[in-house]
Amino acid sequence: MKTEQHFLTLPESLFETSAVADFAGDIAVLDIIMGADRYTFEAPVRYQLYITNTGGAFLVTGTVSAIAQTSCARCLDNMDLALDAEVEAYYVIPGEDAPLSEDEEIEYETLEGKDKIDLDGLIRATLALAFPYIPLCAEECAGLCPQCGANLNRAACDCIIEGPDDSNNPFAVLKTLKFDEQDKS
């Protein structure tokens, strides 16, 4: 599924050093896949951006708010994830300064054309940084039974879970050691 790419066209007045402008709106975002996790957005993502011309570059700050749908990593139930992420980006104005070094080209973004910011890329990158390392429906999520696959959040299962086989573990002998409390007066 391909959608049109969204660009934020900067007004000519923003190209004066120290000029500031703010932009707000909604944008439809395609699914974002991070490792094994897929995040979908049924409603548009809301953004509020503040752009400052720092002389040779634009500093973009602001917020992005969205509700993403994904699966819990423990129980695999679908869940909604409220995201409020801070935007921070730096866009070099083409032709304003000396050519960028190789490190600067990697670290800084450049404008599309001479006056456009890739809104899709900016918002997707901001959301990607806001996703949790492990998405959980609740901190106390019990997950799935490793034997029968039952969701342990809904009901306990009748499976008997045995501990791991320690016969080949060289540290298993440590379980048999008995320690006496000694008074160290």
Side-chain angles (χ1 to χ4, degrees):
M1 179 171 110
K2 185 80 173 157
T3 63
E4 68 178 82
Q5 194 168 11
H6 298 94
F7 292 100
L8 182 62
T9 302
L10 304 177
E12 188 64 37
S13 62
L14 197 52
F15 284 84
E16 305 260 340
T17 301
S18 300
V20 178
D22 63 321
F23 301 88
D26 297 320
I27 182 173
V29 175
L30 294 176
D31 295 1
I32 298 175
I33 298 172
M34 300 286 292
D37 302 315
R38 175 183 294 268
Y39 297 89
T40 59
F41 304 88
E42 291 180 10
V45 173
R46 180 96 183 121
Y47 65 88
Q48 177 72 44
L49 302 176
Y50 303 96
I51 302 178
T52 305
N53 184 327
T54 62
F58 292 111
L59 174 63
V60 180
T61 58
T63 57
V64 172
S65 301
I67 302 291
Q69 291 79 36
T70 191
S71 297
C72 175
R74 287 187 191 153
C75 68
L76 303 180
D77 277 350
N78 290 329
M79 60 181 257
D80 287 343
L81 183 63
L83 299 168
D84 288 308
E86 296 292 322
V87 176
E88 185 173 327
Y90 197 72
Y91 289 85
V92 176
I93 300 171
E96 288 292 312
D97 287 335
L100 298 176
S101 70
E102 192 173 314
D103 289 339
E104 289 173 328
E105 283 184 20
I106 292 169
E107 188 172 343
Y108 304 128
E109 298 288 331
T110 55
L111 295 176
E112 296 288 329
K114 292 197 179 280
D115 64 348
K116 292 179 177 51
I117 290 178
D118 175 9
L119 205 50
D120 291 313
L122 176 65
I123 289 176
R124 290 174 67 82
T126 299
L127 290 171
L129 290 173
F131 295 145
Y133 183 66
I134 299 174
L136 298 175
C137 61
E139 280 295 318
E140 60 279 349
C141 177
L144 302 175
C145 172
Q147 279 186 307
C148 70
N151 187 331
L152 300 174
N153 293 318
R154 296 185 188 127
C157 64
D158 295 329
C159 298
I160 299 171
I161 310 282
E162 295 180 14
D165 178 16
D166 285 340
S167 61
N168 293 327
N169 185 342
F171 297 104
V173 71
L174 295 175
K175 291 181 179 178
T176 64
L177 294 177
K178 302 220 185 291
F179 296 99
D180 293 330
E181 290 281 329
Q182 293 183 0
D183 186 20
K184 299 191 179 200
S185 326

PDB file of all heavy atoms in Angstrom, residues 14-49:
ATOM      1  N   LEU A  14      10.915  32.285   6.620  1.00  0.00           N
ATOM      2  CA  LEU A  14      11.666  31.454   7.562  1.00  0.00           C
ATOM      3  C   LEU A  14      13.151  31.360   7.188  1.00  0.00           C
ATOM      4  O   LEU A  14      13.966  30.900   7.976  1.00  0.00           O
ATOM      5  CB  LEU A  14      11.047  30.057   7.620  1.00  0.00           C
ATOM      6  CG  LEU A  14      11.409  29.160   8.797  1.00  0.00           C
ATOM      7  CD1 LEU A  14      11.198  29.876  10.133  1.00  0.00           C
ATOM      8  CD2 LEU A  14      10.593  27.893   8.767  1.00  0.00           C
ATOM      9  N   PHE A  15      13.522  31.853   6.020  1.00  0.00           N
ATOM     10  CA  PHE A  15      14.910  31.774   5.584  1.00  0.00           C
ATOM     11  C   PHE A  15      15.746  32.954   6.076  1.00  0.00           C
ATOM     12  O   PHE A  15      16.905  33.085   5.712  1.00  0.00           O
ATOM     13  CB  PHE A  15      14.975  31.620   4.056  1.00  0.00           C
ATOM     14  CG  PHE A  15      14.631  30.230   3.619  1.00  0.00           C
ATOM     15  CD1 PHE A  15      13.310  29.850   3.459  1.00  0.00           C
ATOM     16  CD2 PHE A  15      15.614  29.286   3.413  1.00  0.00           C
ATOM     17  CE1 PHE A  15      12.982  28.558   3.083  1.00  0.00           C
ATOM     18  CE2 PHE A  15      15.302  27.990   3.035  1.00  0.00           C
ATOM     19  CZ  PHE A  15      13.971  27.617   2.871  1.00  0.00           C
ATOM     20  N   GLU A  16      15.174  33.805   6.907  1.00  0.00           N
ATOM     21  CA  GLU A  16      15.916  34.892   7.567  1.00  0.00           C
ATOM     22  C   GLU A  16      16.499  34.326   8.857  1.00  0.00           C
ATOM     23  O   GLU A  16      15.813  33.615   9.598  1.00  0.00           O
ATOM     24  CB  GLU A  16      14.965  36.046   7.904  1.00  0.00           C
ATOM     25  CG  GLU A  16      14.187  36.579   6.738  1.00  0.00           C
ATOM     26  CD  GLU A  16      14.806  37.847   6.195  1.00  0.00           C
ATOM     27  OE1 GLU A  16      15.570  38.497   6.913  1.00  0.00           O
ATOM     28  OE2 GLU A  16      14.497  38.167   5.036  1.00  0.00           O
ATOM     29  N   THR A  17      17.739  34.650   9.159  1.00  0.00           N
ATOM     30  CA  THR A  17      18.365  34.164  10.387  1.00  0.00           C
ATOM     31  C   THR A  17      17.536  34.579  11.599  1.00  0.00           C
ATOM     32  O   THR A  17      17.048  35.707  11.671  1.00  0.00           O
ATOM     33  CB  THR A  17      19.807  34.704  10.513  1.00  0.00           C
ATOM     34  OG1 THR A  17      20.542  34.264   9.371  1.00  0.00           O
ATOM     35  CG2 THR A  17      20.483  34.204  11.768  1.00  0.00           C
ATOM     36  N   SER A  18      17.348  33.673  12.523  1.00  0.00           N
ATOM     37  CA  SER A  18      16.577  33.837  13.761  1.00  0.00           C
ATOM     38  C   SER A  18      15.064  33.830  13.550  1.00  0.00           C
ATOM     39  O   SER A  18      14.318  34.034  14.507  1.00  0.00           O
ATOM     40  CB  SER A  18      16.973  35.105  14.521  1.00  0.00           C
ATOM     41  OG  SER A  18      18.333  35.046  14.870  1.00  0.00           O
ATOM     42  N   ALA A  19      14.607  33.584  12.339  1.00  0.00           N
ATOM     43  CA  ALA A  19      13.162  33.500  12.093  1.00  0.00           C
ATOM     44  C   ALA A  19      12.615  32.232  12.745  1.00  0.00           C
ATOM     45  O   ALA A  19      13.295  31.218  12.835  1.00  0.00           O
ATOM     46  CB  ALA A  19      12.873  33.499  10.601  1.00  0.00           C
ATOM     47  N   VAL A  20      11.367  32.319  13.205  1.00  0.00           N
ATOM     48  CA  VAL A  20      10.715  31.199  13.884  1.00  0.00           C
ATOM     49  C   VAL A  20       9.311  31.044  13.307  1.00  0.00           C
ATOM     50  O   VAL A  20       8.638  32.033  13.027  1.00  0.00           O
ATOM     51  CB  VAL A  20      10.619  31.453  15.409  1.00  0.00           C
ATOM     52  CG1 VAL A  20       9.906  30.319  16.112  1.00  0.00           C
ATOM     53  CG2 VAL A  20      11.994  31.671  16.011  1.00  0.00           C
ATOM     54  N   ALA A  21       8.892  29.797  13.167  1.00  0.00           N
ATOM     55  CA  ALA A  21       7.525  29.531  12.709  1.00  0.00           C
ATOM     56  C   ALA A  21       7.046  28.237  13.352  1.00  0.00           C
ATOM     57  O   ALA A  21       7.850  27.378  13.710  1.00  0.00           O
ATOM     58  CB  ALA A  21       7.476  29.411  11.189  1.00  0.00           C
ATOM     59  N   ASP A  22       5.735  28.134  13.533  1.00  0.00           N
ATOM     60  CA  ASP A  22       5.199  26.883  14.070  1.00  0.00           C
ATOM     61  C   ASP A  22       4.200  26.309  13.078  1.00  0.00           C
ATOM     62  O   ASP A  22       3.563  27.023  12.308  1.00  0.00           O
ATOM     63  CB  ASP A  22       4.570  27.086  15.447  1.00  0.00           C
ATOM     64  CG  ASP A  22       3.382  28.010  15.435  1.00  0.00           C
ATOM     65  OD1 ASP A  22       3.408  29.008  14.703  1.00  0.00           O
ATOM     66  OD2 ASP A  22       2.411  27.739  16.168  1.00  0.00           O
ATOM     67  N   PHE A  23       4.124  24.974  13.089  1.00  0.00           N
ATOM     68  CA  PHE A  23       3.273  24.240  12.168  1.00  0.00           C
ATOM     69  C   PHE A  23       2.574  23.141  12.950  1.00  0.00           C
ATOM     70  O   PHE A  23       3.179  22.495  13.806  1.00  0.00           O
ATOM     71  CB  PHE A  23       4.098  23.608  11.042  1.00  0.00           C
ATOM     72  CG  PHE A  23       4.881  24.605  10.240  1.00  0.00           C
ATOM     73  CD1 PHE A  23       6.161  24.986  10.646  1.00  0.00           C
ATOM     74  CD2 PHE A  23       4.350  25.173   9.111  1.00  0.00           C
ATOM     75  CE1 PHE A  23       6.890  25.906   9.925  1.00  0.00           C
ATOM     76  CE2 PHE A  23       5.072  26.096   8.372  1.00  0.00           C
ATOM     77  CZ  PHE A  23       6.344  26.469   8.781  1.00  0.00           C
ATOM     78  N   ALA A  24       1.299  22.917  12.661  1.00  0.00           N
ATOM     79  CA  ALA A  24       0.542  21.855  13.324  1.00  0.00           C
ATOM     80  C   ALA A  24      -0.319  21.171  12.286  1.00  0.00           C
ATOM     81  O   ALA A  24      -0.720  21.776  11.287  1.00  0.00           O
ATOM     82  CB  ALA A  24      -0.319  22.421  14.443  1.00  0.00           C
ATOM     83  N   GLY A  25      -0.605  19.923  12.529  1.00  0.00           N
ATOM     84  CA  GLY A  25      -1.468  19.204  11.606  1.00  0.00           C
ATOM     85  C   GLY A  25      -1.549  17.729  11.937  1.00  0.00           C
ATOM     86  O   GLY A  25      -1.048  17.263  12.960  1.00  0.00           O
ATOM     87  N   ASP A  26      -2.200  17.004  11.056  1.00  0.00           N
ATOM     88  CA  ASP A  26      -2.363  15.557  11.163  1.00  0.00           C
ATOM     89  C   ASP A  26      -1.795  14.934   9.902  1.00  0.00           C
ATOM     90  O   ASP A  26      -1.871  15.527   8.814  1.00  0.00           O
ATOM     91  CB  ASP A  26      -3.848  15.185  11.264  1.00  0.00           C
ATOM     92  CG  ASP A  26      -4.504  15.746  12.515  1.00  0.00           C
ATOM     93  OD1 ASP A  26      -3.859  15.731  13.568  1.00  0.00           O
ATOM     94  OD2 ASP A  26      -5.654  16.195  12.428  1.00  0.00           O
ATOM     95  N   ILE A  27      -1.269  13.732  10.033  1.00  0.00           N
ATOM     96  CA  ILE A  27      -0.707  13.030   8.892  1.00  0.00           C
ATOM     97  C   ILE A  27      -0.981  11.534   9.039  1.00  0.00           C
ATOM     98  O   ILE A  27      -0.858  10.985  10.141  1.00  0.00           O
ATOM     99  CB  ILE A  27       0.807  13.319   8.757  1.00  0.00           C
ATOM    100  CG1 ILE A  27       1.398  12.638   7.533  1.00  0.00           C
ATOM    101  CG2 ILE A  27       1.553  12.929   9.996  1.00  0.00           C
ATOM    102  CD1 ILE A  27       2.843  13.030   7.258  1.00  0.00           C
ATOM    103  N   ALA A  28      -1.374  10.895   7.962  1.00  0.00           N
ATOM    104  CA  ALA A  28      -1.560   9.444   7.962  1.00  0.00           C
ATOM    105  C   ALA A  28      -0.185   8.789   7.879  1.00  0.00           C
ATOM    106  O   ALA A  28       0.653   9.205   7.083  1.00  0.00           O
ATOM    107  CB  ALA A  28      -2.428   9.021   6.786  1.00  0.00           C
ATOM    108  N   VAL A  29       0.038   7.795   8.714  1.00  0.00           N
ATOM    109  CA  VAL A  29       1.333   7.112   8.753  1.00  0.00           C
ATOM    110  C   VAL A  29       1.116   5.634   8.450  1.00  0.00           C
ATOM    111  O   VAL A  29       0.223   5.003   9.011  1.00  0.00           O
ATOM    112  CB  VAL A  29       2.003   7.288  10.142  1.00  0.00           C
ATOM    113  CG1 VAL A  29       3.278   6.482  10.242  1.00  0.00           C
ATOM    114  CG2 VAL A  29       2.280   8.758  10.418  1.00  0.00           C
ATOM    115  N   LEU A  30       1.945   5.101   7.564  1.00  0.00           N
ATOM    116  CA  LEU A  30       1.903   3.680   7.253  1.00  0.00           C
ATOM    117  C   LEU A  30       2.465   2.880   8.423  1.00  0.00           C
ATOM    118  O   LEU A  30       3.123   3.424   9.312  1.00  0.00           O
ATOM    119  CB  LEU A  30       2.722   3.382   5.999  1.00  0.00           C
ATOM    120  CG  LEU A  30       2.196   3.968   4.696  1.00  0.00           C
ATOM    121  CD1 LEU A  30       3.159   3.671   3.555  1.00  0.00           C
ATOM    122  CD2 LEU A  30       0.820   3.408   4.378  1.00  0.00           C
ATOM    123  N   ASP A  31       2.249   1.569   8.410  1.00  0.00           N
ATOM    124  CA  ASP A  31       2.778   0.693   9.456  1.00  0.00           C
ATOM    125  C   ASP A  31       4.279   0.884   9.603  1.00  0.00           C
ATOM    126  O   ASP A  31       4.991   1.116   8.627  1.00  0.00           O
ATOM    127  CB  ASP A  31       2.514  -0.773   9.119  1.00  0.00           C
ATOM    128  CG  ASP A  31       1.033  -1.122   9.109  1.00  0.00           C
ATOM    129  OD1 ASP A  31       0.203  -0.218   9.348  1.00  0.00           O
ATOM    130  OD2 ASP A  31       0.716  -2.292   8.869  1.00  0.00           O
ATOM    131  N   ILE A  32       4.738   0.759  10.838  1.00  0.00           N
ATOM    132  CA  ILE A  32       6.166   0.797  11.127  1.00  0.00           C
ATOM    133  C   ILE A  32       6.534  -0.548  11.727  1.00  0.00           C
ATOM    134  O   ILE A  32       5.902  -1.012  12.683  1.00  0.00           O
ATOM    135  CB  ILE A  32       6.517   1.936  12.112  1.00  0.00           C
ATOM    136  CG1 ILE A  32       6.151   3.298  11.503  1.00  0.00           C
ATOM    137  CG2 ILE A  32       7.997   1.882  12.486  1.00  0.00           C
ATOM    138  CD1 ILE A  32       6.349   4.476  12.443  1.00  0.00           C
ATOM    139  N   ILE A  33       7.549  -1.188  11.164  1.00  0.00           N
ATOM    140  CA  ILE A  33       7.998  -2.483  11.661  1.00  0.00           C
ATOM    141  C   ILE A  33       9.350  -2.294  12.334  1.00  0.00           C
ATOM    142  O   ILE A  33      10.291  -1.775  11.720  1.00  0.00           O
ATOM    143  CB  ILE A  33       8.098  -3.507  10.516  1.00  0.00           C
ATOM    144  CG1 ILE A  33       6.720  -3.705   9.900  1.00  0.00           C
ATOM    145  CG2 ILE A  33       8.675  -4.827  11.017  1.00  0.00           C
ATOM    146  CD1 ILE A  33       6.695  -4.544   8.646  1.00  0.00           C
ATOM    147  N   MET A  34       9.412  -2.691  13.602  1.00  0.00           N
ATOM    148  CA  MET A  34      10.643  -2.600  14.388  1.00  0.00           C
ATOM    149  C   MET A  34      10.951  -4.007  14.907  1.00  0.00           C
ATOM    150  O   MET A  34      10.305  -4.478  15.842  1.00  0.00           O
ATOM    151  CB  MET A  34      10.474  -1.640  15.573  1.00  0.00           C
ATOM    152  CG  MET A  34      10.129  -0.220  15.195  1.00  0.00           C
ATOM    153  SD  MET A  34      11.497   0.688  14.500  1.00  0.00           S
ATOM    154  CE  MET A  34      12.554   0.844  15.907  1.00  0.00           C
ATOM    155  N   GLY A  35      11.905  -4.680  14.284  1.00  0.00           N
ATOM    156  CA  GLY A  35      12.198  -6.054  14.665  1.00  0.00           C
ATOM    157  C   GLY A  35      10.990  -6.924  14.391  1.00  0.00           C
ATOM    158  O   GLY A  35      10.449  -6.946  13.292  1.00  0.00           O
ATOM    159  N   ALA A  36      10.516  -7.629  15.423  1.00  0.00           N
ATOM    160  CA  ALA A  36       9.356  -8.505  15.276  1.00  0.00           C
ATOM    161  C   ALA A  36       8.040  -7.766  15.510  1.00  0.00           C
ATOM    162  O   ALA A  36       6.971  -8.347  15.342  1.00  0.00           O
ATOM    163  CB  ALA A  36       9.471  -9.665  16.257  1.00  0.00           C
ATOM    164  N   ASP A  37       8.095  -6.514  15.903  1.00  0.00           N
ATOM    165  CA  ASP A  37       6.893  -5.759  16.253  1.00  0.00           C
ATOM    166  C   ASP A  37       6.407  -4.902  15.077  1.00  0.00           C
ATOM    167  O   ASP A  37       7.195  -4.223  14.428  1.00  0.00           O
ATOM    168  CB  ASP A  37       7.166  -4.853  17.459  1.00  0.00           C
ATOM    169  CG  ASP A  37       7.629  -5.639  18.668  1.00  0.00           C
ATOM    170  OD1 ASP A  37       7.017  -6.682  18.960  1.00  0.00           O
ATOM    171  OD2 ASP A  37       8.610  -5.216  19.310  1.00  0.00           O
ATOM    172  N   ARG A  38       5.094  -4.934  14.860  1.00  0.00           N
ATOM    173  CA  ARG A  38       4.463  -4.094  13.836  1.00  0.00           C
ATOM    174  C   ARG A  38       3.544  -3.110  14.552  1.00  0.00           C
ATOM    175  O   ARG A  38       2.716  -3.500  15.365  1.00  0.00           O
ATOM    176  CB  ARG A  38       3.647  -4.935  12.866  1.00  0.00           C
ATOM    177  CG  ARG A  38       2.877  -4.090  11.843  1.00  0.00           C
ATOM    178  CD  ARG A  38       2.002  -4.934  10.932  1.00  0.00           C
ATOM    179  NE  ARG A  38       2.792  -5.781  10.077  1.00  0.00           N
ATOM    180  CZ  ARG A  38       3.204  -5.448   8.841  1.00  0.00           C
ATOM    181  NH1 ARG A  38       2.855  -4.283   8.331  1.00  0.00           N
ATOM    182  NH2 ARG A  38       3.927  -6.266   8.127  1.00  0.00           N
ATOM    183  N   TYR A  39       3.697  -1.836  14.228  1.00  0.00           N
ATOM    184  CA  TYR A  39       2.872  -0.777  14.799  1.00  0.00           C
ATOM    185  C   TYR A  39       2.007  -0.206  13.684  1.00  0.00           C
ATOM    186  O   TYR A  39       2.526   0.216  12.644  1.00  0.00           O
ATOM    187  CB  TYR A  39       3.743   0.318  15.406  1.00  0.00           C
ATOM    188  CG  TYR A  39       4.577  -0.179  16.555  1.00  0.00           C
ATOM    189  CD1 TYR A  39       5.857  -0.713  16.347  1.00  0.00           C
ATOM    190  CD2 TYR A  39       4.091  -0.136  17.850  1.00  0.00           C
ATOM    191  CE1 TYR A  39       6.612  -1.176  17.405  1.00  0.00           C
ATOM    192  CE2 TYR A  39       4.849  -0.604  18.913  1.00  0.00           C
ATOM    193  CZ  TYR A  39       6.102  -1.120  18.677  1.00  0.00           C
ATOM    194  OH  TYR A  39       6.851  -1.592  19.729  1.00  0.00           O
ATOM    195  N   THR A  40       0.688  -0.210  13.893  1.00  0.00           N
ATOM    196  CA  THR A  40      -0.234   0.336  12.900  1.00  0.00           C
ATOM    197  C   THR A  40      -0.945   1.549  13.507  1.00  0.00           C
ATOM    198  O   THR A  40      -1.106   1.647  14.728  1.00  0.00           O
ATOM    199  CB  THR A  40      -1.269  -0.713  12.443  1.00  0.00           C
ATOM    200  OG1 THR A  40      -2.009  -1.149  13.572  1.00  0.00           O
ATOM    201  CG2 THR A  40      -0.592  -1.897  11.780  1.00  0.00           C
ATOM    202  N   PHE A  41      -1.376   2.447  12.636  1.00  0.00           N
ATOM    203  CA  PHE A  41      -2.013   3.684  13.064  1.00  0.00           C
ATOM    204  C   PHE A  41      -3.326   3.833  12.317  1.00  0.00           C
ATOM    205  O   PHE A  41      -3.330   4.125  11.121  1.00  0.00           O
ATOM    206  CB  PHE A  41      -1.098   4.882  12.774  1.00  0.00           C
ATOM    207  CG  PHE A  41       0.255   4.750  13.403  1.00  0.00           C
ATOM    208  CD1 PHE A  41       1.287   4.110  12.735  1.00  0.00           C
ATOM    209  CD2 PHE A  41       0.479   5.237  14.672  1.00  0.00           C
ATOM    210  CE1 PHE A  41       2.534   3.964  13.329  1.00  0.00           C
ATOM    211  CE2 PHE A  41       1.711   5.097  15.273  1.00  0.00           C
ATOM    212  CZ  PHE A  41       2.748   4.460  14.596  1.00  0.00           C
ATOM    213  N   GLU A  42      -4.438   3.602  13.008  1.00  0.00           N
ATOM    214  CA  GLU A  42      -5.747   3.737  12.368  1.00  0.00           C
ATOM    215  C   GLU A  42      -6.146   5.201  12.227  1.00  0.00           C
ATOM    216  O   GLU A  42      -6.800   5.577  11.269  1.00  0.00           O
ATOM    217  CB  GLU A  42      -6.797   2.958  13.166  1.00  0.00           C
ATOM    218  CG  GLU A  42      -6.605   1.461  13.071  1.00  0.00           C
ATOM    219  CD  GLU A  42      -7.639   0.690  13.851  1.00  0.00           C
ATOM    220  OE1 GLU A  42      -8.632   1.285  14.317  1.00  0.00           O
ATOM    221  OE2 GLU A  42      -7.440  -0.518  14.006  1.00  0.00           O
ATOM    222  N   ALA A  43      -5.758   6.026  13.190  1.00  0.00           N
ATOM    223  CA  ALA A  43      -6.074   7.456  13.151  1.00  0.00           C
ATOM    224  C   ALA A  43      -4.819   8.226  12.733  1.00  0.00           C
ATOM    225  O   ALA A  43      -3.696   7.757  12.936  1.00  0.00           O
ATOM    226  CB  ALA A  43      -6.546   7.932  14.526  1.00  0.00           C
ATOM    227  N   PRO A  44      -4.999   9.394  12.153  1.00  0.00           N
ATOM    228  CA  PRO A  44      -3.830  10.198  11.786  1.00  0.00           C
ATOM    229  C   PRO A  44      -2.986  10.577  13.012  1.00  0.00           C
ATOM    230  O   PRO A  44      -3.490  10.666  14.128  1.00  0.00           O
ATOM    231  CB  PRO A  44      -4.436  11.456  11.154  1.00  0.00           C
ATOM    232  CG  PRO A  44      -5.816  11.060  10.746  1.00  0.00           C
ATOM    233  CD  PRO A  44      -6.250  10.020  11.739  1.00  0.00           C
ATOM    234  N   VAL A  45      -1.722  10.779  12.762  1.00  0.00           N
ATOM    235  CA  VAL A  45      -0.777  11.192  13.797  1.00  0.00           C
ATOM    236  C   VAL A  45      -0.802  12.716  13.864  1.00  0.00           C
ATOM    237  O   VAL A  45      -0.770  13.397  12.848  1.00  0.00           O
ATOM    238  CB  VAL A  45       0.639  10.674  13.461  1.00  0.00           C
ATOM    239  CG1 VAL A  45       1.665  11.219  14.428  1.00  0.00           C
ATOM    240  CG2 VAL A  45       0.644   9.149  13.436  1.00  0.00           C
ATOM    241  N   ARG A  46      -0.859  13.255  15.065  1.00  0.00           N
ATOM    242  CA  ARG A  46      -0.913  14.706  15.286  1.00  0.00           C
ATOM    243  C   ARG A  46       0.498  15.223  15.541  1.00  0.00           C
ATOM    244  O   ARG A  46       1.254  14.632  16.313  1.00  0.00           O
ATOM    245  CB  ARG A  46      -1.815  15.001  16.483  1.00  0.00           C
ATOM    246  CG  ARG A  46      -1.962  16.447  16.816  1.00  0.00           C
ATOM    247  CD  ARG A  46      -3.236  16.993  16.175  1.00  0.00           C
ATOM    248  NE  ARG A  46      -3.324  18.402  16.454  1.00  0.00           N
ATOM    249  CZ  ARG A  46      -3.377  19.305  15.500  1.00  0.00           C
ATOM    250  NH1 ARG A  46      -3.397  18.961  14.250  1.00  0.00           N
ATOM    251  NH2 ARG A  46      -3.468  20.575  15.791  1.00  0.00           N
ATOM    252  N   TYR A  47       0.866  16.322  14.888  1.00  0.00           N
ATOM    253  CA  TYR A  47       2.185  16.923  15.118  1.00  0.00           C
ATOM    254  C   TYR A  47       2.060  18.404  15.409  1.00  0.00           C
ATOM    255  O   TYR A  47       1.147  19.077  14.948  1.00  0.00           O
ATOM    256  CB  TYR A  47       3.127  16.688  13.923  1.00  0.00           C
ATOM    257  CG  TYR A  47       2.707  17.367  12.652  1.00  0.00           C
ATOM    258  CD1 TYR A  47       3.109  18.673  12.358  1.00  0.00           C
ATOM    259  CD2 TYR A  47       1.914  16.704  11.711  1.00  0.00           C
ATOM    260  CE1 TYR A  47       2.718  19.295  11.192  1.00  0.00           C
ATOM    261  CE2 TYR A  47       1.527  17.319  10.534  1.00  0.00           C
ATOM    262  CZ  TYR A  47       1.935  18.612  10.283  1.00  0.00           C
ATOM    263  OH  TYR A  47       1.554  19.239   9.113  1.00  0.00           O
ATOM    264  N   GLN A  48       2.981  18.901  16.210  1.00  0.00           N
ATOM    265  CA  GLN A  48       3.133  20.326  16.520  1.00  0.00           C
ATOM    266  C   GLN A  48       4.634  20.594  16.416  1.00  0.00           C
ATOM    267  O   GLN A  48       5.414  20.059  17.209  1.00  0.00           O
ATOM    268  CB  GLN A  48       2.620  20.636  17.926  1.00  0.00           C
ATOM    269  CG  GLN A  48       2.808  22.075  18.361  1.00  0.00           C
ATOM    270  CD  GLN A  48       1.865  23.029  17.642  1.00  0.00           C
ATOM    271  OE1 GLN A  48       0.686  22.754  17.495  1.00  0.00           O
ATOM    272  NE2 GLN A  48       2.389  24.156  17.196  1.00  0.00           N
ATOM    273  N   LEU A  49       5.048  21.391  15.442  1.00  0.00           N
ATOM    274  CA  LEU A  49       6.467  21.630  15.191  1.00  0.00           C
ATOM    275  C   LEU A  49       6.799  23.108  15.313  1.00  0.00           C
ATOM    276  O   LEU A  49       6.015  23.965  14.906  1.00  0.00           O
ATOM    277  CB  LEU A  49       6.849  21.153  13.790  1.00  0.00           C
ATOM    278  CG  LEU A  49       6.593  19.685  13.466  1.00  0.00           C
ATOM    279  CD1 LEU A  49       6.933  19.404  12.013  1.00  0.00           C
ATOM    280  CD2 LEU A  49       7.377  18.784  14.391  1.00  0.00           C
TER     281      LEU A  49
END
